[in-house]
Structure formats: structure tokens, C-alpha cells
Amino acid sequence: MSIALKQVFNKDKTFRPKRKFEPGTQRFELHKRAQASLNSGVDLKAAVQLPSGEDQNDWVAVHVVDFFNRINLIYGTICEFCTEQTCPVMSGGPKYEYRWQDDLKYKKPTALPAPQYMNLLMDWIEVQINNEDIFPTCVGVPFPKNFLQICKKILCRLFRVFVHVYIHHFDRVIVMGAEAHVNTCYKHFYYFVTEMNLIDRKELEPLMCSQRKIQMAASLKYP
């Protein structure tokens, strides 16, 4: 592994602190199982399938937190190049612009520079995944009825980070020698959200349209 690629995994580069699972919990065991599957080189399409007998909400919760950590790390490696000057609008090329709305300060969709959008996004996700009423950590505490809807919104917004990095900062990823890691992370994310039906296909269009430009790994086929 190159020195540059090692920097991708450097905890000091993480955009936000990592959320971890408590040892001894069911979610911790699911997380270990998911990581073991990935590390064993198993086909990613198989790795994202819900294990027999496991709860769907637990499986989704594990992956949402894991993707938050991974995407955090990826954006953290390029965030110094994502400024209000280089990225005055949060976008994925000229055709796609993402506006922020949180029903608090920004009650209507608002155009923001990419780094400001990213900060608000990561803050918002942290609040969701650290909320015990949404992501319960105690055994026996049920997930809320709208849990999957919340996760769909989180994953949809995390996907926009991939879009922005690929379209506007992939040159930096290549310079760092980290494109294989980022591509694998994206493929893992893509296969999971499509397997579990957690993102509208229309949201995936920006990267499907830009597949040649970003030179996605040849094994990634869109149905």
C-alpha cells in the first residue's frame, strides 16, 4: 500500500469522529460479520445481502453507521481542496445541484457552498445516529416505525458526497493513489442501497451518467 493510500485510513484525516458499536451487542456482532465478509474478498453483491434470521433494521443500522464513517474518511482526505472558492455550490457537475434543508435554520432548500453543505450534512447525520430514539443501542429497545425512512434520507444525502467527490475532486483521489479504495467503497454502498431498495434510482443518475469519466471498476454493472 502506498504512503498516500495509507493516508486515506489515517484517523487524523477523518472529517468527523467515528461512531462505534458497543462490544457484546448484536449490532457489534453484525458489524464484525459484515467486515469479515468484506475482508475475505467475498463478492460485494453477496456481502450486502441480509443474513438469514437477522433483523433488517439491525442490518441497515450497521451499514448506515459504517458508511457514515467511511464516507467521512473519504471526504476528510480531500476537504482541504473543497473550499468556497473551488466549490461555491454543492453540486455534481453542471446538471445537478444539491440544496440544504433541515427544517431548523434552513426551512427551505437553500443553495450553499459545498464545504458548508458538507458540515451541515455531517452534523445532521451525527445527530440522527447518536439519537437513542432512532438508533437504539440497548438490547430489546425497538427501532422507531419510521426508521427505514430516516435511513433512506441519510443514505441519499451520503450518496451526494460520493457524487461531489467523483465529479469535482477525483483528480485529487487519483494523485493520492486512493481511487481503488474509493471505488470499492462506492461499489459496496451502491450494491447495499440497491439490494435493500434504500435510494430512488433517480438519485443515482449523476454517477451513472459520469461512469466513463470516473472510470469505475469494470466489474460494477448497472442493471
Side-chain angles (χ1 to χ4, degrees), residues 37-161:
S37 295
L38 291 175
N39 294 335
S40 69
V42 70
D43 177 65
L44 284 173
K45 284 186 177 180
V48 300
Q49 294 174 3
L50 178 66
S52 177
E54 297 297 347
D55 179 73
Q56 181 185 16
N57 286 341
D58 275 321
W59 190 239
V60 171
V62 164
H63 282 80
V64 167
V65 173
D66 187 48
F67 287 132
F68 172 68
N69 289 337
R70 290 169 181 265
I71 295 169
N72 238 311
L73 197 58
I74 289 171
Y75 183 70
T77 63
I78 60 90
C79 64
E80 64 186 291
F81 306 103
C82 183
T83 68
E84 293 190 5
Q85 288 69 45
T86 61
C87 306
V89 175
M90 175 59 181
S91 64
K95 289 180 61 178
Y96 300 94
E97 179 181 325
Y98 301 119
R99 300 189 173 195
W100 183 256
Q101 182 177 8
D102 55 19
D103 297 325
L104 296 172
K105 181 178 179 181
Y106 299 92
K107 297 184 182 298
K108 295 181 179 180
T110 305
L112 297 171
Q116 186 179 354
Y117 183 103
M118 296 293 188
N119 271 296
L120 290 167
L121 170 60
M122 299 305 177
D123 285 344
W124 176 78
I125 294 176
E126 273 194 308
V127 169
Q128 309 306 308
I129 65 177
N130 288 312
N131 185 337
E132 285 285 332
D133 292 331
I134 300 174
F135 283 76
T137 57
C138 296
V139 176
V141 177
F143 288 92
K145 292 181 179 179
N146 63 340
F147 176 70
L148 289 180
Q149 287 303 119
I150 293 171
C151 288
K152 286 179 180 181
K153 191 168 185 177
I154 291 173
L155 292 167
C156 177
R157 288 180 163 183
L158 280 176
F159 176 75
R160 296 171 182 179
V161 181

